[in-house]
Amino acid sequence: MAYKVMVVDDAAMMRLYISSFLNSLPDFKMVAQAANGQEALDKLSDLPDLDLILLDIEMPVMDGLEFLRHAKLKTRAKICMLSSVTVSGSPLAAKARELGADGVVAKPSGTVSHDLEEKTGDELRSVMRSLVAA
Amino acid sequence: MSDEMDEIWELYADDGAQALDAMEMALEALQAGEGDQAEHIGALFRAVHTFKGNSRVLGLSTVESRAHLSEDLIGLVRDEGAELTEEIIDVLIESGDILRGMLDETAVSRADVAPEPSEHLMDRLRAVIAVCKGEEPPVAVASDAPAEEMAKDSDEAAPEAEAEPETEDAPKEDAPAAVNPADNPMFAAMASLDDLPDPTGDRDDDDFFDDDHGDRSEEELAEPEPAPEPEPEPEPAPEPEKTEAAAEDAGGEEAGSGLTRLLDDPVYLKIFTDMVVSTIDDLSLIRDVADGEELPEGAFPKASSLCYACEQLDLTEWVETLQAFEAKKSEGGTLSDLGGLIESLQKLKAADLGGDEPEPEPEAEAADSAPAGSNDTLVSLINDLEEVFEDINQLTARMEAGQAVEAQEFNDLSDKAVKVVTPYEFIRVTEAAMGFADSHKLKDFRSVELKFYEERASVESVLDKGGLPEDLMLPSQRLKNWCSEHIFDTLRDLRIGLDSGHKGSGSTWFPEFEQLMRRAFNASAYYEIETASQLTMALVDLFARTRVSSQSPDVILIQMARGFVDTMELVFDALTQGDTPDIAKIEALFEEAANVSFLASGVVTARSIEQKLGLPKEFHRVLSPESVKSAQSCIDNGLHFFILTCDLNEDDKLAENFLDWISSGKAKMITNVTVFVDDKTIFDFLIAAPMTEDIVAEAVSHLDPSGKKLTLKMALEVVEEAAPVAAAETAASAEDAQIFASGAMTENLKLLEAVGEISAAQSMIGAMLHKASTRDLLYDVQTKMAEAGLPELPLRARGVLRGVFEEYLTEIQAINEAEAQLSSQLSQLQEESVSMRSRPAEVILRPMQTFVSTEARKLGSSAQFSYVGGECSLDQLVLEEVRGLLKLAISDRLRAKEPPSKFFLAIDREEDRVRVEITDNGKECALSDDFKAASHELTRRKGVMRFVTLPNGGVRLMLEVPLHTIVLEGMVVKIGDVRYVLPIESIQRIHQGSKTVPIKAAGNRRMLVVDDNDYVPIRVLSSARTQVHSSGQQLYVIVRNNASRMAIPVDELLGQQLVLLRPLRGVLSMVPDVTGVAILSGGEIGMVVSVSRIEAAA
């Protein structure tokens, strides 16, 4: 059975891109999505079997880092940051690690990265698989 | 949906026809006694089994029941040793004919057939089955009995036949080849239609439901398993549990109150559970993506499919729930109805299917005593854990003392901790508590202990900490204390790990590395060294990314981490001694870590692009290496840059069109950022395009005619000739980096030159005014009149004229004074302009430390860099030049076979040049082509760049770079037709005389005798065509350079002047003895003399 994924990103187009990317992976299935951290947090209780959360950082209402703080207490799902501000070794990538992010991947071309699959697909796929396998 | 159903019915017809053909062929072969009988019987069984399965999938109960009973009969022959009689073949032929007729009918009607016309077949089949089993033929059932009942009856009529051969062995052996879903397109299509693996829930032995398949790959499924050898003497089948369950059902177990008879079977339970989970997921997704409150149509087929399965399983409560939801389709339900259904299904799943319990309601036991989200929770948790902490400390102390600890004690501790924390529902804290049971070694125990503290600190981080008791030891504080107490152990372990080389996959070494770094993080937090905390996590991030790629960390990361350990040891050592630590190195490492991805990608840094494009602050620190590379490429190709604001979330069509546009090649997206307006998200896109601003604006208005959702926010100016900012050198502060913003530097230079030119012109005006103000106009008039043969002016007329001329001269003098004042101000402005362009050498030397260590790490070594003379003030252009040359030289040295581990640099500014010496402790090495080219160019410009091997080991770089773009006060002199500028500060005196003497020891060079016993060597400028007069008066300017003096013969002194020294270009660079040129007050070019160079040439 495919691993269940929730996508949290305030950009509708980005959710679409990520969904399309997930559809190309037989071992993953998007079961929920949210436009901000609060919305995602509200949905967590309905998703006890969730395996993975792909999480943006810069979002209104509740940002990804704040969500991370709360979600770590509520779910066993692995949390992978997927944001334009989490370039390797950057301060926000470091912050995400500090708060317990299980994986950190940078979007290649900004908040809305239409080339996600083309430029970061391999990395994201590897990270996702390594996280759910752990 | 209708297309898919058409396809499925077509598949049913095709597959069914093929199955019946196979059945017919097998029967014909059996009838004729041809070939291997067992093979034919097996083919016959598979054909009927396939047909039965297909009809069941489409809900054709009557068809299925006939096929089912036929299959039972064949099974008795195949598996139970029943003799294949003509009667059996005959009834099966009849069955085949009837099934074919049913196939034809149902393929057209897409509905089940009436049971009555084929009841006689059922009776006949039951009778033959009974004979095979040595039983009395059963009494025929009523012709109007429901199809399902009939099938059930048939099961009951031959309980042994079903209980043993079908459910246990026979189907598992042969069926995979017959009904393998991977082979059967109908099943595949059905599954893709609605993820409904088997909606009937019928107690069948169809291998599609075989849980063996659950763990098998498609390839395995495609491989038919060989049929086992039939048992010669089949033992009586044991009474299966399911039969008992069936009996219980028959005894009146209330339907829907719990698991039904079918769900007692783990295979069915698993399939149904998967189906429920999948449906809940699908419904949740439908709910999540719903636009508005209207109930999405897509939810009904999902609910309907599940409802059908529930009906087959007699799950009354489920059916009622789902049917109630289906009723909303006509009643007009809302999205909340869908939410209600999902919630109900989750509850039913938890009640009937077991497994994961749904998330407990907030009103759980613990929540009553410790409401989540308040600091009461935290206080309560901390207090409850006091005893546990004591136990942890005791166990740790005993383990540290080498005392034995029983396994049971670890279990007891774990149980105790779990018992305390479980009611709080913080699952990771509970899991961490469980870890104590398995951590019998001190090292493992400490890891679990730390994890336990960390998870508890996570709880603290999300709770309101206001109003907590002052004496309460917060989890985070306990964690920090622990880590600071163990920091030197932590650093030691880190060093050992790094020195071991971290061989192999990251999964083996990374967890330990991460844990140690987290300890370092918390220790840094204890001492409130924010940068160190950030650095630890930045390194964790860098190493974690390496781990994912299953590689060992590269040498740069290892060296960086070693640098981190070295530095942190010093820092913590200072802190424990009560000293103030030097955290500059930590800051440099942190900057290095932040830029390592750019360095690895071989691109300029994000900051460099930010500066080149003058990006607004929302674009700072968001450029990825990909974006930076892309932006640099667009800059190189001369594209224009724009920022567009787009409200993507508001208008899907616009978003699609816009994203198409920026992906089409007409424009290129570099990056984009989120901009929040209240709770609304809009996006700013940085794009590059070949078109100009007006064309971009037109394209934007074409995309969004309303002009409200997509706007051109700004056009950006690309700053030309940007100063390269090397990735490794970004340790310079933002202020330092700013000085190399090439735009500002270029503008400063232009301004300075403009001021210099105005100043020169103004000096010329001043000289002219001075000349005019000192002119004796009356004398001039009288002279001109006399030359013209005019009579002398009368005395009175001369007096009048004199008065007029004096008034005129007074005005000229007034103007002259004003000009002098202006001249002074201009000079001051010029000096300030120069000052503005000057920076201490510190700004290039400090980042050079990082550059050296990074370069060394890249090459697998390590090196340190220190310097003196950082206060030396130089023009930015000079600093840039020096920096480039230093990097080139140091890179060459680090590539030596035996590279230096230490560099020491000294820098000093002389009158017309900057002199740099770098001494290192490496061996001599070959010079790169780049170095040779740079050295050649510098020599041509009268600079110096060469390596000198030191006698006691090591190598020294001698670097001298001519200064330019400086303002100096000079004495302008004329020698022949050429004007020279001699720096005022080097002039000792002016001397006019004729007394010279030749000095034999100096090759008969002449010495000027200034005073009786003062001899000064005469030095004629190489470019001047002046002959020193052996007799007569000659004007000399005596200059001094350090302890040396020289007398330069000149023809005329033209006066003092502030000049802007410009670099020599073209043929002028060939002129000896001079260091640059300057525009003089008369507009002429003056050659600026280098006193040091004259001395060196001498």
Side-chain angles (χ1 to χ4, degrees):
Chain A
M1 184 168 285
Y3 293 110
K4 298 179 181 63
V5 185
M6 173 157 70
V7 175
V8 189
D9 197 309
D10 59 333
M13 290 303 291
M14 199 61 219
R15 294 200 297 273
L16 203 62
Y17 292 141
I18 299 171
S19 166
S20 166
F21 171 70
L22 291 173
N23 282 339
S24 71
L25 305 177
D27 45 347
F28 289 93
K29 178 181 181 182
M30 185 170 87
V31 297
Q33 53 177 302
N36 61 61
Q38 186 59 57
E39 197 180 320
L41 210 53
D42 293 342
K43 287 182 178 175
L44 268 187
S45 55
D46 292 338
L47 300 162
D49 301 329
L50 198 63
D51 296 299
L52 180 68
I53 299 170
L54 293 178
L55 179 62
D56 189 18
I57 286 189
E58 293 187 310
M59 295 182 289
V61 187
M62 179 190 283
D63 68 22
L65 295 177
E66 187 62 20
F67 169 80
L68 182 58
R69 284 192 179 92
H70 288 82
K72 293 293 284 184
L73 299 174
K74 288 191 165 188
T75 179
R76 290 183 179 86
K78 303 291 183 184
I79 300 178
C80 176
M81 312 308 291
L82 180 58
S83 164
S84 57
V85 291
T86 48
V87 175
S88 299
S90 64
L92 280 174
K95 189 68 184 173
R97 296 282 182 189
E98 174 196 329
L99 296 178
D102 300 292
V104 181
V105 175
K107 291 176 185 172
S109 308
T111 302
V112 181
S113 288
H114 62 293
D115 48 5
L116 175 78
E117 185 165 1
E118 177 196 341
K119 291 185 176 166
T120 315
D122 288 345
E123 182 191 358
L124 184 56
R125 200 161 27 239
S126 298
V127 171
M128 288 166 57
R129 286 182 176 151
S130 71
L131 292 183
V132 294
Chain B
M1 176 64 87
S2 60
D3 289 345
E4 289 168 330
M5 285 309 299
D6 289 345
E7 191 179 342
I8 286 168
W9 278 104
E10 283 172 20
L11 283 168
Y12 163 73
D14 291 345
D15 264 21
Q18 285 179 29
L20 293 177
D21 288 348
M23 180 184 182
E24 198 174 304
M25 283 173 62
L27 285 170
E28 283 174 4
L30 289 168
Q31 203 170 25
E34 296 169 349
D36 185 338
Q37 294 289 289
E39 192 177 306
H40 295 316
I41 292 170
L44 182 63
F45 184 93
R46 288 194 293 272
V48 177
H49 186 90
T50 299
F51 188 85
K52 180 197 69 176
N54 288 358
S55 54
R56 184 197 61 210
V57 168
L58 288 170
L60 306 173
S61 303
T62 302
V63 180
E64 183 201 351
S65 64
R66 275 59 182 161
H68 193 157
L69 214 52
S70 301
E71 185 187 5
D72 286 348
L73 177 58
I74 302 166
L76 287 173
V77 175
R78 191 189 68 163
D79 304 320
E80 302 295 319
E83 186 185 352
L84 181 64
T85 63
E86 285 187 13
E87 171 71 5
I88 292 176
I89 292 175
D90 192 56
V91 74
L92 288 175
I93 288 173
E94 184 185 0
S95 173
D97 291 342
I98 290 174
L99 291 175
R100 192 178 292 278
M102 290 177 170
L103 173 69
D104 294 342
E105 183 182 339
T106 52
V108 173
S109 67
R110 299 188 177 182
D112 202 6
V113 294
E116 294 82 359
S118 54
E119 274 308 317
H120 71 281
L121 173 66
M122 294 296 277
D123 293 341
R124 198 177 166 196
L125 284 167
R126 287 191 196 101
V128 175
I129 287 170
V131 170
C132 287
K133 293 180 174 180
E135 297 170 350
E136 288 294 316
V139 178
V141 297
S143 62
D144 58 352
E148 293 83 356
E149 285 300 315
M150 287 189 291
K152 191 173 178 182
D153 288 347
S154 75
D155 295 341
E156 287 163 355
E160 295 85 0
E162 182 192 55
E164 171 58 21
E166 281 201 3
T167 60
E168 296 298 326
D169 297 327
K172 287 186 179 177
E173 290 154 6
D174 285 329
V179 292
N180 176 1
D183 291 343
N184 189 325
M186 184 168 164
F187 281 130
M190 199 68 187
S192 71
L193 180 65
D194 58 7
D195 292 339
L196 181 64
D198 181 65
T200 68
D202 193 359
R203 187 175 183 74
D204 190 82
D205 297 299
D206 190 332
D207 279 335
F208 190 61
F209 283 178
D210 191 335
D211 63 347
D212 284 352
H213 289 173
D215 298 323
R216 291 163 61 188
S217 67
E218 289 187 4
E219 289 77 10
E220 289 171 325
L221 286 170
E223 286 289 325
E225 292 178 10
E229 292 295 321
E231 295 284 342
E233 291 288 335
E235 293 181 6
E239 198 67 27
E241 288 179 8
K242 61 188 177 185
T243 306
E244 292 169 4
E248 284 173 13
D249 277 355
E253 184 184 54
E254 195 178 342
S257 63
L259 297 180
T260 67
R261 180 177 65 86
L262 288 174
L263 284 186
D264 282 341
D265 187 316
V267 177
Y268 283 79
L269 178 63
K270 179 179 183 305
I271 290 165
F272 182 67
T273 304
D274 287 351
M275 184 177 178
V276 170
V277 169
S278 176
T279 304
I280 291 174
D281 288 348
D282 291 342
L283 292 174
S284 299
L285 185 58
I286 290 170
R287 177 192 60 186
D288 292 345
V289 299
D291 188 15
E293 274 303 303
E294 198 175 334
L295 190 51
E297 280 288 317
F300 292 110
K302 304 286 179 190
S304 179
S305 296
L306 183 63
C307 185
Y308 180 72
C310 295
E311 284 171 353
Q312 301 305 309
L313 294 168
D314 287 337
L315 296 172
T316 310
E317 194 177 349
W318 290 72
V319 171
E320 287 171 358
T321 301
L322 288 158
Q323 283 179 341
F325 175 75
E326 286 182 283
K328 303 288 181 187
K329 188 172 185 178
S330 53
E331 295 169 7
T334 65
L335 201 59
S336 63
D337 292 323
L338 179 55
L341 174 65
I342 293 168
E343 193 175 328
S344 299
L345 291 177
Q346 283 171 333
K347 284 179 180 168
L348 285 169
K349 173 173 169 283
D352 289 353
L353 307 178
D356 292 331
E357 293 293 327
E359 286 287 304
E361 295 298 320
E363 302 77 28
E365 183 189 340
D368 291 338
S369 57
S374 76
N375 59 30
D376 293 345
T377 305
L378 189 61
V379 174
S380 173
L381 178 62
I382 292 169
N383 290 334
D384 288 351
L385 280 170
E386 268 310 310
E387 269 190 51
V388 175
F389 291 140
E390 284 175 19
D391 291 352
I392 290 173
N393 290 337
Q394 282 179 13
L395 278 186
T396 307
R398 286 170 55 195
M399 291 168 83
E400 284 177 337
Q403 296 175 9
V405 179
E406 297 296 323
Q408 188 56 43
E409 293 181 79
F410 292 108
N411 287 335
D412 291 345
L413 172 63
S414 175
D415 290 346
K416 195 173 186 177
V418 168
K419 191 176 175 186
V420 170
V421 300
T422 299
Y424 292 90
E425 299 165 18
F426 299 128
I427 55 177
R428 298 202 189 207
V429 183
T430 307
E431 285 177 355
M434 290 175 182
F436 286 115
D438 301 321
S439 52
H440 298 178
K441 292 180 181 171
L442 179 59
K443 186 179 175 185
D444 298 339
F445 190 84
R446 276 185 169 165
S447 296
V448 174
E449 183 186 2
L450 179 69
K451 184 74 182 165
F452 189 55
Y453 292 156
E454 279 188 326
E455 296 300 351
R456 290 175 53 255
S458 299
V459 175
E460 175 193 329
S461 72
V462 299
L463 298 180
D464 171 20
K465 291 188 276 293
L468 288 173
E470 285 182 6
D471 57 346
L472 190 72
M473 172 70 90
L474 291 171
S476 59
Q477 194 56 47
R478 186 180 287 271
L479 177 65
K480 290 173 193 170
N481 291 350
W482 191 97
C483 292
S484 66
E485 285 167 13
H486 295 86
I487 184 59
F488 290 105
D489 294 340
T490 300
L491 294 174
R492 181 202 59 217
D493 291 347
L494 269 172
R495 186 187 299 283
I496 291 170
L498 292 167
D499 289 345
S500 71
H502 281 319
K503 298 286 189 302
S505 164
S507 58
T508 57
W509 57 261
F510 181 76
E512 187 176 352
F513 172 79
E514 183 186 19
Q515 194 176 69
L516 291 170
M517 290 297 278
R518 284 191 180 279
R519 292 180 192 181
F521 166 82
N522 284 301
S524 304
Y526 175 86
Y527 288 106
E528 298 179 344
I529 317 172
E530 178 68 16
T531 312
S533 297
Q534 287 184 321
L535 175 59
T536 52
M537 285 299 119
L539 287 170
V540 166
D541 182 55
L542 292 172
F543 275 77
R545 295 187 198 226
T546 306
R547 169 208 191 188
V548 170
S549 57
S550 298
Q551 297 167 349
S552 297
D554 60 31
V555 67
I556 292 183
L557 287 187
I558 293 286
Q559 289 291 350
M560 199 182 284
R562 281 183 178 144
F564 165 80
V565 172
D566 291 344
T567 308
M568 294 303 276
E569 275 181 346
L570 293 173
V571 166
F572 284 112
D573 194 46
L575 287 167
T576 51
Q577 299 294 323
D579 297 336
T580 304
D582 177 11
I583 60 168
K585 186 75 188 296
I586 299 175
E587 288 170 350
L589 277 172
F590 184 49
E591 196 70 28
E592 196 178 328
N595 286 317
V596 75
S597 60
F598 296 93
L599 188 66
S601 305
V603 297
V604 294
T605 60
R607 184 182 292 174
S608 168
I609 295 296
E610 289 164 10
Q611 290 170 348
K612 283 180 185 176
L613 297 181
L615 289 173
K617 68 177 188 314
E618 57 266 29
F619 280 93
H620 291 187
R621 286 189 174 270
V622 299
L623 291 172
S624 66
E626 285 284 348
S627 301
V628 167
K629 203 180 289 185
S630 180
Q632 185 60 54
S633 166
C634 292
I635 290 172
D636 294 343
N637 290 322
L639 269 55
H640 305 289
F641 288 81
F642 305 92
I643 294 177
L644 306 181
T645 296
C646 186
D647 191 352
L648 282 181
N649 285 348
E650 277 298 299
D651 188 334
D652 291 346
K653 190 70 187 166
L654 171 65
E656 224 171 277
N657 290 339
F658 174 63
L659 293 171
D660 282 347
W661 182 66
I662 58 174
S663 316
S664 64
K666 292 174 186 167
K668 186 172 179 58
M669 184 182 77
I670 306 300
T671 190
N672 56 80
V673 296
T674 307
V675 180
F676 299 121
V677 179
D678 299 326
D679 283 350
K680 191 177 174 186
T681 305
I682 58 175
F683 304 90
D684 274 359
F685 282 77
L686 172 64
I687 66 162
M691 63 269 274
T692 54
E693 184 177 353
D694 54 332
I695 298 176
V696 171
E698 193 179 325
V700 165
S701 65
H702 183 72
L703 285 165
D704 177 26
S706 75
K708 291 177 181 171
K709 296 168 187 165
L710 177 65
T711 52
L712 172 57
K713 190 174 182 180
M714 66 171 77
L716 301 170
E717 282 287 328
V718 180
V719 176
E720 298 295 337
E721 299 175 7
V725 180
E729 296 180 23
T730 48
S733 67
E735 187 188 352
D736 294 340
Q738 195 62 36
I739 73 160
F740 292 116
S742 60
M745 194 152 63
T746 307
E747 291 306 313
N748 274 350
L749 183 58
K750 286 179 183 171
L751 178 66
L752 181 60
E753 287 186 343
V755 172
E757 283 167 13
I758 293 170
S759 183
Q762 191 272 337
S763 294
M764 183 175 67
I765 293 168
M768 289 163 65
L769 281 172
H770 178 72
K771 191 174 177 182
S773 69
T774 55
R775 189 173 176 185
D776 187 346
L777 289 174
L778 184 57
Y779 173 80
D780 289 348
V781 169
Q782 287 177 318
T783 304
K784 292 292 180 186
M785 287 179 71
E787 286 173 1
L790 295 172
E792 191 174 336
L793 284 171
L795 186 60
R796 189 172 175 190
R798 290 204 300 273
V800 171
L801 277 176
R802 188 180 301 279
V804 172
F805 289 154
E806 280 178 357
E807 282 178 14
Y808 170 74
L809 289 174
T810 302
E811 286 177 12
I812 293 290
Q813 281 170 353
I815 295 171
N816 197 14
E817 284 169 10
E819 183 278 332
Q821 195 175 352
L822 186 61
S823 179
S824 169
Q825 288 173 341
L826 273 172
S827 297
Q828 191 178 346
L829 181 61
Q830 201 168 17
E831 284 175 346
E832 284 174 1
S833 299
V834 169
S835 173
M836 280 171 61
R837 290 178 47 80
S838 296
R839 294 289 183 277
E842 180 82 16
V843 299
I844 63 164
L845 296 179
R846 188 151 48 86
M848 201 61 70
Q849 290 179 315
T850 310
F851 173 78
V852 169
S853 55
T854 306
E855 278 291 295
R857 270 198 287 275
K858 275 167 68 181
L859 297 166
S861 61
S862 63
Q864 293 178 332
F865 178 88
S866 54
Y867 59 88
V868 293
E871 70 285 354
C872 173
S873 182
L874 295 166
D875 183 82
Q876 295 168 52
L877 288 176
V878 176
L879 284 173
E880 271 298 279
E881 185 177 5
V882 170
R883 176 165 65 166
L885 295 171
L886 287 179
K887 282 174 61 180
L888 183 59
I890 288 171
S891 295
D892 264 22
R893 294 296 299 137
L894 287 171
R895 283 175 173 75
K897 206 167 184 180
E898 293 182 50
S901 60
K902 288 183 180 175
F903 290 90
F904 177 75
L905 178 145
I907 186 168
D908 190 25
R909 175 184 167 168
E910 295 183 353
E911 164 213 338
D912 59 348
R913 58 189 48 227
V914 58
R915 191 189 299 272
V916 183
E917 288 183 2
I918 311 178
T919 308
D920 67 51
N921 60 351
K923 299 286 184 190
E924 193 178 5
C925 66
L927 300 178
S928 69
D929 290 342
D930 286 345
F931 183 92
K932 288 175 187 168
S935 176
H936 178 74
E937 168 62 17
L938 193 60
T939 306
R940 192 185 65 75
R941 290 169 41 221
K942 306 191 175 69
V944 173
M945 186 180 182
R946 66 173 189 275
F947 283 119
V948 177
T949 303
L950 301 177
N952 56 347
V955 172
R956 178 171 295 160
L957 170 74
M958 312 291 292
L959 179 64
E960 291 180 25
V961 179
L963 291 178
H964 52 73
T965 324
I966 57 172
V967 173
L968 58 86
E969 186 165 15
M971 171 64 74
V972 183
V973 301
K974 191 175 178 185
I975 305 174
D977 297 330
V978 181
R979 284 166 169 77
Y980 291 88
V981 180
L982 291 164
I984 286 289
E985 62 182 22
S986 66
I987 298 176
Q988 188 188 32
R989 61 180 291 185
I990 309 294
H991 178 79
Q992 188 164 25
S994 58
K995 192 174 180 181
T996 63
V997 294
I999 305 295
K1000 285 184 181 176
N1004 281 329
R1005 282 172 59 187
R1006 299 194 73 84
M1007 304 286 280
L1008 175 66
V1009 182
V1010 181
D1011 295 317
D1012 288 344
N1013 296 313
D1014 190 7
Y1015 300 89
V1016 180
I1018 296 170
R1019 178 77 174 89
V1020 178
L1021 295 182
S1022 309
S1023 55
R1025 294 177 181 174
T1026 294
Q1027 294 297 319
V1028 178
H1029 306 293
S1030 55
S1031 61
Q1033 297 295 305
Q1034 174 69 52
L1035 197 58
Y1036 294 94
V1037 179
I1038 300 175
V1039 295
R1040 178 189 292 277
N1041 183 47
N1042 299 324
S1044 305
R1045 290 184 302 163
M1046 289 164 289
I1048 301 172
V1050 301
D1051 294 337
E1052 190 179 354
L1053 296 174
L1054 298 177
Q1056 283 182 227
Q1057 187 180 338
L1058 271 182
V1059 296
L1060 176 65
L1061 179 63
R1062 297 157 188 260
L1064 294 167
R1065 298 183 197 283
V1067 292
L1068 287 177
S1069 62
M1070 307 300 290
V1071 179
D1073 302 335
V1074 299
T1075 190
V1077 295
I1079 298 175
L1080 302 178
S1081 57
E1084 309 92 343
I1085 296 294
M1087 314 292 283
V1088 182
V1089 176
S1090 168
V1091 177
S1092 59
R1093 196 163 294 160
I1094 298 170
E1095 184 199 6

